[in-house]
Amino acid sequence: MALLDRAIVRLLPAVPKPVVQRLSSRYIAGPTLDDAVRVVRRLNAKGKLATVDVLGEDVTNADEARAIAGQYHDVLARIDDEGLDANISLKLTGLGLELDDDLCRENLEAVVADAAARGNFVRIDMEDSSTTDRTLQLYRRLHAEGHDNLGVVLQAYMRRTQSDLPGLDNVRLCKGIYIEPPELAFREFEAVRASFVRSLEALVAQGSYVGIATHDEQLIQESLRIVRDAGLDRERYEFQMLLGVRPDRADELVAGGHRLRVYVPYGSHWYEYSVRRLQENPKMAGQVASDIVGRVFGR
Ligand code: FDA
């Protein structure tokens, strides 16, 4: 990332919220479930699958956590009613992980059971390193209890990932987005890429279903090579991308015969997710600058 972009990444928390909201609108379906459904329908029409995320993390009380779980039940019902090709992605902190383990487990179990009854699937996103152990434990526990419509996420930047992957049978692999100390996570760009490739090879070798979540062209190419060399049929893996990022590349993967799932976040708690996406956008500095200039001069 260029120097100016890095400087703006650091300044982002000071950028006015309306600017952040406008700049990040391409990454978010909108505030309501209707918005998410509209976007999923559009994606499905282009041969793309979706995973719907209700925005909301770091809830402060049990009612908020139950409300988020309730929204996921609504999402599952709408997917079912409208025959959409979509599953759901959720964050355990949104279901109450930082408040009470039992509350979080109950919320998760209910959502997973609802999804199973509807023939659907739940992906547990991976958050920062303070949650990794608890997330994997809860996943393994539910899985051991017979819930098999459930998958997790591993982050290639984490040094521990190689030792976490044995026994996981449905994994989304991504680079990882949270700021972690160097003793826990690789910092160098090439080290993260190398870990991604190593982890994908290991997951494929152990027969896991893999969601290959990256927009990095070099990793897309490496991943295509790995699935081809392993002779995986298209039901054993999928590519995954974020809404608003490299949609044309996603179209090409679909045209090439690969399954491709788009992460579709919606809801009113858009701020934290938006900042993370803007921090990753290589053209962000220019966009932030031109947006502010546009506002000052009243476009
Ligand atoms: P990289 O950041 O190097 O981007 C490669 C290229 O993609 C860039 O050069 C640019 O062209 C384009 N690009 C990437 N981000 C962009 C943006 N915001 N705007 C415009 N262009 C952009 N992380 C995590 O810690 N836990 C999780 O559970 C998940 N879940 C998840 C699901 C899905 C479906 C995806 C695709 C990603 C995640 N992530 C995640 C985020 C992931 O860890 C990572 O931060 C981003 O995917 C960016 O990494 P890339 O591999 O795309 O590489």
Side-chain angles (χ1 to χ4, degrees):
M1 202 180 261
L3 225 57
L4 178 59
D5 292 285
R6 271 200 223 117
I8 293 210
V9 162
R10 271 188 230 110
L11 288 177
L12 253 184
V15 171
K17 278 195 170 182
V19 176
V20 172
Q21 186 169 26
R22 196 162 40 248
L23 289 173
S24 60
S25 59
R26 66 191 263 206
Y27 303 121
I28 292 173
T32 69
L33 178 52
D34 284 342
D35 295 317
V37 167
R38 207 169 18 254
V39 169
V40 173
R41 251 195 243 120
R42 205 183 64 217
L43 292 166
N44 283 174
K46 295 190 86 180
K48 297 172 178 171
L49 314 168
T51 185
V52 178
D53 168 54
V54 178
L55 291 168
E57 39 201 283
D58 297 332
V59 296
T60 56
N61 61 62
D63 287 343
E64 277 177 25
R66 288 196 192 96
I68 292 202
Q71 282 181 268
Y72 275 108
H73 290 290
D74 295 343
V75 175
L76 287 167
R78 279 297 287 280
I79 290 173
D80 209 2
D81 291 349
E82 307 220 8
L84 300 174
D85 212 336
N87 60 32
I88 58 172
S89 287
L90 51 78
K91 290 186 173 48
L92 292 186
T93 55
L95 298 190
L97 186 69
E98 301 298 2
L99 301 173
D100 173 3
D101 285 352
D102 289 338
L103 168 76
C104 179
R105 184 179 42 75
E106 281 161 23
N107 282 336
L108 178 63
E109 265 178 348
V111 170
V112 170
D114 186 3
R118 299 174 186 279
N120 210 328
F121 176 85
V122 179
R123 174 78 58 192
I124 308 174
D125 288 346
M126 188 59 83
E127 300 175 73
D128 69 65
S129 59
S130 70
T131 68
T132 313
D133 278 330
R134 286 176 290 160
T135 301
L136 291 175
Q137 273 160 17
L138 196 44
Y139 166 77
R140 289 185 201 276
R141 175 172 168 180
L142 261 62
H143 202 258
E145 287 169 1
H147 297 284
D148 55 7
N149 60 323
L150 186 62
V152 274
V153 176
L154 290 177
Q155 298 151 319
Y157 69 2
M158 293 296 285
R159 295 177 189 275
R160 59 180 285 172
T161 285
Q162 290 294 310
S163 53
D164 284 332
L165 59 85
L168 300 179
D169 61 13
N170 193 318
V171 176
R172 171 198 296 153
L173 181 63
C174 65
K175 285 186 179 174
I177 178 61
Y178 300 89
I179 295 166
E180 300 292 353
E183 60 277 17
L184 296 184
F186 300 109
R187 288 262 174 91
E188 308 72 32
F189 199 73
E190 289 306 328
V192 177
R193 274 182 169 162
S195 169
F196 192 105
V197 171
R198 247 189 347 266
S199 304
L200 182 58
E201 283 171 339
L203 287 166
V204 168
Q206 73 181 17
S208 308
Y209 182 90
V210 279
I212 304 165
T214 183
H215 321 90
D216 181 338
E217 190 55 37
Q218 185 171 320
L219 287 182
I220 292 173
Q221 293 299 335
E222 285 284 315
S223 304
L224 288 168
R225 177 189 60 75
I226 291 168
V227 299
R228 191 178 52 239
D229 290 355
L232 282 195
D233 75 47
R234 74 191 293 274
E235 308 304 320
R236 296 300 309 156
Y237 69 95
E238 62 191 43
F239 284 91
Q240 297 187 352
M241 292 192 182
L242 300 171
L243 184 65
V245 183
R246 302 202 69 193
D248 297 343
R249 186 63 179 109
D251 285 335
E252 286 170 16
L253 286 166
V254 172
H258 304 282
R259 280 150 52 92
L260 182 284
R261 190 176 302 276
V262 178
Y263 191 95
V264 179
Y266 84 92
S268 48
H269 300 286
W270 49 269
Y271 184 72
E272 288 84 359
Y273 182 86
S274 300
V275 168
R276 288 201 294 274
R277 295 290 76 84
L278 291 178
Q279 287 173 335
E280 285 181 323
N281 183 345
K283 301 200 178 104
M284 182 195 54
Q287 286 177 12
V288 171
S290 77
D291 189 281
I292 288 172
V293 169
R295 271 157 45 97
V296 169
F297 293 103
R299 277 179 233 282

